[in-house]
Amino acid sequence: MTDSIPRYFVRQMDIKSLKQEELKILIKDMGEPAFRAGQIYEWMHVKLVSDYDEMTNLSKALRQRLKEEYPLTVLLKEDMQESAQDGTRKYLFRLPDGNMVESVFMRYKHGNSVCISSQVGCRMGCRFCASTIDGLVRSLTASEMLEQIYSVIRDTGERVSNVVVMGIGEPMDNYDNIVRFYRLLTDEKGYNLSGRNVTISTCGIVPGIYKLADEGLSLTLALSLHAPTDEKRRTIMPIANEYSISELIEACTYYFEKTGRRITLEYSLIAGVNDSLEDAEDLGRIAKKLGAHINLIPVNSVKERDYKRGTKEAIEAFKNKLEKNANNVTIRREMGQDIDGACGQLRRKYL
Ligand code: SAH
């Protein structure tokens, strides 16, 4: 049998998700000199090219072989909406298998930020969230997460200095790929983003928080708390049936002790559900225990859901209550209000 194995039997290696040492092994197996690995890695993660033909210091034959054996993960810009108010851009990207995810590009005084998705859909079922309505389709690979950032950089021609994993999906439900993604993104031989400028947001999967704490990374962990009591939290977040707030506090305390990084508490304010002054009081107590910063997000109403945000006054009163108790609190600046606001809405429009 001299025939080669039919292409569809070969499990294709996702070359852009490989760490440098892994890429070296692959290149060696191809019978190429080791330094080629460094060149290819640089083309992918520093020069951010999207086609092997742009890797001009490789021979034509090698480029052709790579193209056939290890196709590069690239995303297709299916749609993009730009806010006339603040230049925020919301992208809808098509993945190689046809699935879609959203990413958002935001300009701040301190630099540009990209919010990326970690999964296609989500299985966490938070009641106010559009991303979870049709459940989880699949998790994203490390390269598909990187490529959201790289595609935005190519499209805008601007540098990105902050990355938040707060788009569609639950990062802790895609743990290994998230850690791989983080390591590639912050690799000094790669895009070399500062680890401190990466934020990962979780609905509160306790074992994931412990595992991440032991990983030795310098990222910022954001916890979507959204309610200050277990009883209330269970009415809007199914994950609260699995882990209690006191377990979360313990896990976050461990995270802080291990990493020295303060947690951010995210709190989506929903009128009549979690925005009373008593809620502010209870939330303040939790934040103090953790030394956490609180980020208030006036809930974005989602067509399929009937949660509404409170009045400006109600939101201010909630914030004032927290500040009176010496909590560190911000109201999330709302970007791109004139384009499809809430997370997962652009993708839903296409489904
Ligand atoms: N699964 C992760 C990250 C994705 S969501 C998490 O739960 O943290 C990013 C943040 O947006 C979370 O705090 C989430 O609860 C919040 N969010 C989702 N839908 C929202 C909506 N309609 N209005 C306000 N915040 C929302």
Side-chain angles (χ1 to χ4, degrees):
M1 283 267 302
T2 51
D3 279 351
S4 61
I5 310 164
R7 166 100 23 244
Y8 50 86
F9 277 115
V10 182
R11 196 181 149 268
Q12 267 174 349
M13 184 79 75
D14 176 14
I15 194 168
K16 216 181 270 183
S17 289
L18 296 184
K19 296 174 195 163
Q20 256 208 90
E21 14 355 321
E22 296 164 338
L23 185 58
K24 268 188 197 143
I25 296 169
L26 181 137
I27 294 302
K28 214 176 123 207
D29 285 351
M30 287 179 83
E32 291 287 329
F35 72 89
R36 292 276 178 235
Q39 291 178 322
I40 296 168
Y41 193 86
E42 188 184 15
W43 282 114
M44 289 191 294
H45 300 289
V46 182
K47 296 176 180 158
L48 310 184
V49 304
S50 54
D51 194 319
Y52 282 116
D53 281 335
E54 294 172 73
M55 303 187 182
T56 47
N57 54 4
L58 308 183
S59 72
K60 233 184 170 160
L62 177 58
R63 281 186 254 155
Q64 194 54 39
R65 221 183 128 192
L66 286 164
K67 235 190 262 187
E68 282 165 17
E69 293 177 24
Y70 307 108
L72 284 175
T73 298
V74 282
L75 309 184
L76 227 82
K77 184 169 95 177
E78 186 73 31
D79 191 10
M80 193 272 282
Q81 301 179 348
E82 178 160 15
S83 161
Q85 295 164 3
D86 52 35
T88 294
R89 288 181 175 196
K90 190 149 194 171
Y91 290 88
L92 186 71
F93 288 120
R94 181 186 286 274
L95 304 169
D97 69 352
N99 277 303
M100 310 262 211
V101 290
E102 286 173 30
S103 322
V104 185
F105 170 80
M106 290 158 286
R107 290 192 178 87
Y108 292 101
K109 269 194 227 96
H110 60 266
N112 297 325
S113 182
V114 176
C115 173
I116 65 154
S117 298
S118 57
Q119 296 182 309
V120 180
C122 183
R123 59 187 180 126
M124 294 301 133
C126 297
R127 300 280 310 139
F128 46 83
C129 180
S131 304
T132 197
I133 292 171
D134 289 318
L136 175 69
V137 179
R138 70 169 175 89
S139 283
L140 298 188
T141 61
S143 67
E144 287 170 332
M145 292 186 264
L146 286 172
E147 201 51 38
Q148 292 174 58
I149 303 162
Y150 297 172
S151 303
V152 167
I153 295 170
R154 278 186 219 115
D155 197 63
T156 58
E158 293 181 39
R159 175 126 188 128
V160 164
S161 54
N162 285 279
V163 169
V164 294
V165 187
M166 285 193 189
I168 298 168
E170 167 52 43
M172 293 291 191
D173 194 32
N174 186 17
Y175 186 91
D176 292 344
N177 287 329
I178 281 286
V179 171
R180 177 174 283 271
F181 156 79
Y182 173 92
R183 293 222 158 97
L184 287 166
L185 183 64
T186 57
D187 181 7
E188 32 176 63
K189 294 229 169 80
Y191 188 72
N192 195 16
L193 193 82
S194 160
R196 295 176 163 262
N197 295 351
V198 179
T199 300
I200 286 175
S201 176
T202 176
C203 65
I205 297 180
V206 166
I209 298 173
Y210 281 105
K211 209 168 158 196
L212 196 63
D214 291 331
E215 210 74 60
L217 315 176
S218 55
L219 55 83
T220 301
L221 185 66
L223 170 66
S224 297
L225 192 65
H226 303 325
T229 64
D230 288 322
E231 199 189 352
K232 209 167 249 192
R233 199 163 185 262
R234 280 185 215 121
T235 66
I236 47 175
M237 300 177 76
I239 194 71
N241 294 303
E242 241 162 285
Y243 307 108
S244 67
I245 291 177
S246 63
E247 285 173 299
L248 278 171
I249 293 174
E250 241 172 79
C252 289
T253 306
Y254 181 79
Y255 189 88
F256 177 60
E257 281 166 2
K258 280 296 258 199
T259 64
R261 310 277 302 148
R262 281 186 195 288
I263 306 278
T264 297
L265 291 179
E266 286 163 281
Y267 197 95
S268 296
L269 278 169
I270 311 170
V273 173
N274 63 359
D275 67 342
S276 74
L277 293 183
E278 198 191 335
D279 291 330
E281 196 81 53
D282 294 342
L283 169 63
R285 228 172 286 128
I286 295 170
K288 251 199 199 143
K289 226 180 255 169
L290 290 172
H293 176 93
I294 302 167
N295 196 14
L296 298 175
I297 317 165
V299 76
N300 279 304
S301 58
V302 171
K303 204 175 73 221
E304 294 84 350
R305 305 291 203 223
D306 55 3
Y307 292 113
K308 297 256 152 30
R309 59 173 61 181
T311 59
K312 250 198 183 116
E313 291 73 35
I315 296 169
E316 274 302 318
F318 195 92
K319 177 173 182 253
N320 289 340
K321 184 82 189 169
L322 287 168
E323 281 176 338
K324 239 186 231 141
N325 291 333
N327 283 122
N328 185 344
V329 47
T330 45
I331 299 179
R332 183 190 283 179
R333 211 178 112 211
E334 303 216 56
M335 312 278 284
Q337 275 300 292
D338 50 340
I339 53 181
D340 278 295
C343 173
Q345 300 218 86
L346 191 55
R347 173 172 169 260
R348 284 202 61 73
K349 225 166 71 178
Y350 269 75
L351 283 180

